[in-house]
């Protein structure tokens, strides 16, 4: 085997990390893979002579280097598409090819009928439709025995630009669900969909985070004008519980090279960071006070990922190789206690989890990907290995850009990923043990359906089995240790399924016994369009 050249000032590569996962599937036109410092021994037979073997190792602290922590946006689209389509094939040649749709579904137990959310609402009938046609008279028409109900459907009728309007924001705080559309954020009663409040912005909303503070506050970015050349550099705090706007301010440049290209936000505790191409600035959510900003020299963070009261930075380093460095950061001061320099050519594509730290790393030159788990000290703990094509459904727009993978879910010891859903075949959710890097269980969607993780909490994974035109979706609970899924909600067939199944790339959530699904973009052609749909008992 050929030893991987060490990054600057790194300790020797530990032996025994194994070899590169098997080559990507044929037909995608990728170049042969090079040496992969993040591949882990998958425990399978040695690769045949036609597949080169490689030694690996993730280095530790080192001085820093320019080169973006993430590829430029156009290149990122290619990287993410490759990850979804084929390159994110974890594991080695010894694994049996994954075939997805031939397995019977696991038995699903129905939750007891008395498990209902507090304040069950009446159904809002005739408040919209699935395709812009006439409104249905009964959203639950065609509901079968044992199926739950549509609680309400909210539609909007707006006339906007030819490209349509973004409507990516969705936050559930207490008894309110808030939804963004264009230049507004509106709060609705979760129980019955009645409008509670609206906050108007002077220009288009252009950045946000799904996260809120413990007391229900979030921060939203908007443009400094309404022209095509307007910058996305204004921020405003919204109190989602009270339905009121808080402080507003402009995010000033930290240097002459500070470009507000594709900015996004990361929020944890009372800290929000405004991330952009080469710099980042942190503010206190409650007051708007500036906390810290990226340093002017060394390895400079351009983006932060947030969660669980923690921040980690993706920094670009000023060295000849343009290397990338991962750093921890104190949410109040920005000070770091550890760093991890990636080898030449490797970038951070996505952060699946901050606590624990789970990173999707890629090498654009060699078309390689690895999912790596770091320990509390920032050093490599393990690399995930399994067979199958995985589809974390990562956004390529402005909301939570670094963390915007809708179907990658982690808890303290497990990462849950869905496999790619091929037409007419069932996919699976795979649970990866973060301590060993190996798959510990799989749950198939069954019946040519698609299943994706939603959230992990209280020793359970909450998953969504997506709707078909003739069959409603389902919310399932799966024990973290694996086992038989339990149906928490079975959405109705008939009219409701026809609407639910037409939400494209939606925002979804399950809170207090209710499932919420909303659109992320409107055509804005002055006709009724579905915006937000809620299901419950």
């Amino acid at each position: 085997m050929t030893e991987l050249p060490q990054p600057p000032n790194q300790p020797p590569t530990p032996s025994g990390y194994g070899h590169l996962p098997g080559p990507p599937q044929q037909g995608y036109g990728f170049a042969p893979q090079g040496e992969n410092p993040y591949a882990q021994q998958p425990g399978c037979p040695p690769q045949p002579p036609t597949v080169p073997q490689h030694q690996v190792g993730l280095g530790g602290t080192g001085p820093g280097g320019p080169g973006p922590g993430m590829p430029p946006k156009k290149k990122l689209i290619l990287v993410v598409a490759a990850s979804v389509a084929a390159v994110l094939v974890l594991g080695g040649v010894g694994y049996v090819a994954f075939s997805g749709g031939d397995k019977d579904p696991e038995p699903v137990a129905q939750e007891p009928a008395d498990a209902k959310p507090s304040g069950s609402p009446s159904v809002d009938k005739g408040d919209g439709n699935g395709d812009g046609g006439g409104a249905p008279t009964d959203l639950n028409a065609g509901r079968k025995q044992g199926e739950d109900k549509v609680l309400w459907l909210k539609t909007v009728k707006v006339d906007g630009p030819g490209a349509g309007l973004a409507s990516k924001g969705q936050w559930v705080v207490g008894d309110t669900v808030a939804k963004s559309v264009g230049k507004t954020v509106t709060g609705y009663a979760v129980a019955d969909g009645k409008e509670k409040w609206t906050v108007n912005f002077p220009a288009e909303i252009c950045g946000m985070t799904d996260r809120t503070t413990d007391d229900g506050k979030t921060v939203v970015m908007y443009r400094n004008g309404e022209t095509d050349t307007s910058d996305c550099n204004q921020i405003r705090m919204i109190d989602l519980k009270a339905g009121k706007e808080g402080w507003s301010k402009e995010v000033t440049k930290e240097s002459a090279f500070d470009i507000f290209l594709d900015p996004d936000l990361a929020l944890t505790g009372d800290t929000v960071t405004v991330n952009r191409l080469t710099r980042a600035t942190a503010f206190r959510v409650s007051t708007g006070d500036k906390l810290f900003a990226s340093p002017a020299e060394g390895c400079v963070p351009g983006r932060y990922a947030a969660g669980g009261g923690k921040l980690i930075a993706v920094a670009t380093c000023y060295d000849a190789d343009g290397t990338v460095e991962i750093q921890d950061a104190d949410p109040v001061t920005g000070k770091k206690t550890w760093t991890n320099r990636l080898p030449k050519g490797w970038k951070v594509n996505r952060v699946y989890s901050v606590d624990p730290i789970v990173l999707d790393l890629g090498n654009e030159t060699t078309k390689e990907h690895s999912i790596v788990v770091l320990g509390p000290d920032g050093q490599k703990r393990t690399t995930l290995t399994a067979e199958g094509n995985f589809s974390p459904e990562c956004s390529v727009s402005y909301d939570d850009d670094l963390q915007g993978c809708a179907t990658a879910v982690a808890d303290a010891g497990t990462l849950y990923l869905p496999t790619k859903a091929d037409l007419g075949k069932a996919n699976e959710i795979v649970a990866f043990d973060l301590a060993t890097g190996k798959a510990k269980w799989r749950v198939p969607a069954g019946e040519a359906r698609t299943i994706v993780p939603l959230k992990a909490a209280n020793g359970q994974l909450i998953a969504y089995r997506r709707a078909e035109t003739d069959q409603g979706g389902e919310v399932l609970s799966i024990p973290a240790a694996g086992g038989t899924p339990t149906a928490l909600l079975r959405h109705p067939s008939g009219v409701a399924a026809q609407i639910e199944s037409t939400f494209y790339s939606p925002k979804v959530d399950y809170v207090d016994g209710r499932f919420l699904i909303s659109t992320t973009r409107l055509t804005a052609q002055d006709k009724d369009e579905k915006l937000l749909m809620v299901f419950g008992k």
Side-chain angles (χ1 to χ4, degrees):
M1 292 185 179
T2 301
E3 287 289 334
L4 175 74
Q6 294 298 315
N9 298 333
Q10 298 289 5
T13 302
S15 61
Y17 279 84
H19 56 268
L20 179 70
Q25 295 180 352
Q26 297 179 354
Y28 291 95
F30 294 125
Q33 290 180 318
E35 296 183 357
N36 185 347
Y38 300 111
Q40 175 149 320
Q41 179 68 33
C44 59
Q47 294 173 324
T50 54
V51 181
Q53 295 190 351
H54 304 268
Q55 189 73 16
V56 299
L58 180 61
T61 303
M70 293 181 66
K73 182 62 64 174
K74 290 184 179 179
K75 293 183 179 180
L76 173 64
I77 295 173
L78 297 177
V79 171
V80 172
S83 174
V84 170
V87 178
L88 197 60
V89 180
L90 310 179
V93 170
Y95 285 96
V96 177
F98 174 64
S99 59
D102 298 325
K103 298 182 180 180
D104 292 328
E106 295 286 338
V108 176
Q110 177 73 46
E111 187 184 54
D114 58 356
K116 299 179 180 179
S118 58
S120 296
S122 58
V123 175
D124 182 354
K125 300 179 180 180
D127 190 24
N129 58 82
D131 57 6
T137 56
D138 185 356
L139 291 169
N140 289 296
R143 181 165 67 107
K144 299 176 182 178
Q145 184 176 3
E147 295 178 339
D148 298 304
K149 297 182 292 185
V150 178
L151 302 182
W152 52 274
L153 170 66
K154 182 63 62 176
T155 63
V156 292
K157 185 178 181 180
V158 293
D159 190 10
L165 285 176
S167 56
K168 290 183 175 294
Q170 177 182 295
W171 304 268
V172 182
V173 176
D175 61 358
T176 301
V177 53
K179 182 67 183 166
S180 70
V181 174
K183 299 190 289 185
T184 65
V185 175
T186 301
Y188 303 96
V190 178
D192 56 18
K194 292 181 179 178
E195 185 174 325
K196 300 176 68 174
W197 51 262
T198 294
V199 172
N200 295 301
F201 288 77
E204 180 188 4
I205 294 170
C206 55
M208 64 190 64
T209 170
D210 290 336
R211 294 167 177 80
T212 68
T213 61
D214 290 341
D215 58 353
K217 296 181 176 67
T218 195
V219 175
V220 173
M221 299 192 75
Y222 60 99
R223 298 190 179 279
N224 63 357
E226 299 192 63
T227 68
D228 293 340
T229 59
S230 299
D231 289 330
C232 182
N233 63 359
Q234 309 292 309
I235 55 175
R236 175 178 293 176
M237 184 267 280
I238 303 178
D239 185 333
L240 297 169
K241 281 189 175 180
K244 297 179 180 179
E245 63 184 84
W247 53 264
S248 298
K249 64 171 50 185
E250 179 175 323
V251 184
T252 57
K253 292 185 176 182
E254 300 294 340
S255 75
F257 301 101
D258 188 356
I259 302 173
F260 282 78
L261 179 65
D262 299 317
D264 61 80
L265 303 175
L267 188 152
T268 188
D270 196 27
T271 297
V272 63
T273 67
V274 181
N275 308 319
R276 52 263 195 201
L277 184 64
T278 61
R279 294 291 189 273
T281 311
F283 299 89
R284 195 181 300 277
V285 177
S286 55
T287 64
D289 295 337
K290 182 177 176 179
L291 294 173
F292 60 88
S294 301
E297 56 187 19
C299 294
V300 180
R303 277 179 160 82
Y304 288 88
K310 300 180 183 297
L311 282 177
I312 61 170
V314 178
T316 61
C317 298
Y318 291 89
D319 60 14
D321 293 328
T323 51
V324 171
E325 186 174 271
I326 314 302
Q327 308 168 354
D328 71 333
D330 183 285
V332 177
T333 66
K335 292 181 178 179
K336 59 189 177 185
T337 60
W338 57 257
T339 63
N340 190 320
R341 183 76 62 85
L342 304 186
K344 178 182 176 180
W346 285 84
K347 311 292 183 184
V348 177
N349 294 327
R350 299 289 175 165
V351 177
Y352 290 152
S353 173
V354 172
D355 185 21
I357 302 172
V358 185
L359 309 176
D360 177 353
L361 305 180
N363 188 313
E364 192 174 349
T365 301
T366 63
K367 308 301 180 186
E368 297 173 87
H369 278 77
S370 287
I371 299 179
V372 174
V373 183
L374 304 186
D377 60 354
Q379 306 313 304
K380 178 187 169 183
R381 180 182 174 192
T382 189
T383 300
L384 305 190
T385 59
E387 47 85 13
N389 291 347
F390 294 87
S391 178
E393 298 185 10
C394 301
S395 168
V396 290
S397 58
Y398 56 67
D399 57 319
D400 277 346
D401 195 36
L402 191 59
Q403 298 175 268
C405 295
T407 59
V409 172
D411 58 24
T414 308
L415 175 70
Y416 307 93
L417 289 176
T419 59
K420 185 175 181 292
D422 293 320
L423 184 64
K425 294 185 177 180
N427 78 323
E428 296 179 313
I429 291 176
V430 181
F432 292 91
D433 189 323
L434 298 182
T436 66
K438 298 179 180 179
K440 57 182 182 179
W441 54 257
R442 296 170 179 261
V443 169
E447 303 172 5
R449 302 288 294 276
T450 300
I451 187 172
V452 295
L454 284 185
K455 61 176 66 178
N458 304 318
Q460 302 285 316
L461 173 69
I462 305 300
Y464 173 44
R465 181 145 56 186
R466 288 174 172 159
E468 304 289 335
T469 55
D470 59 349
Q471 191 171 3
E474 291 178 287
V475 179
L476 305 175
S477 174
I478 305 169
T484 302
T486 298
L488 304 177
L489 286 178
R490 284 194 169 114
H491 303 168
S493 305
V495 172
Q498 295 171 20
I499 300 173
E500 183 187 0
S501 63
T502 60
F503 278 90
Y504 176 74
S505 191
K507 288 281 189 181
V508 295
D509 205 352
Y510 177 74
V511 181
D512 191 27
R514 301 182 182 99
F515 178 80
L516 304 96
I517 181 170
S518 68
T519 189
T520 53
R521 190 161 197 88
L522 297 165
T523 61
Q525 298 300 305
D526 197 26
K527 65 178 182 180
D528 279 343
E529 297 180 79
K530 60 183 181 295
L531 177 68
L532 176 61
M533 194 174 193
V534 180
F535 300 82
K537 295 290 185 182

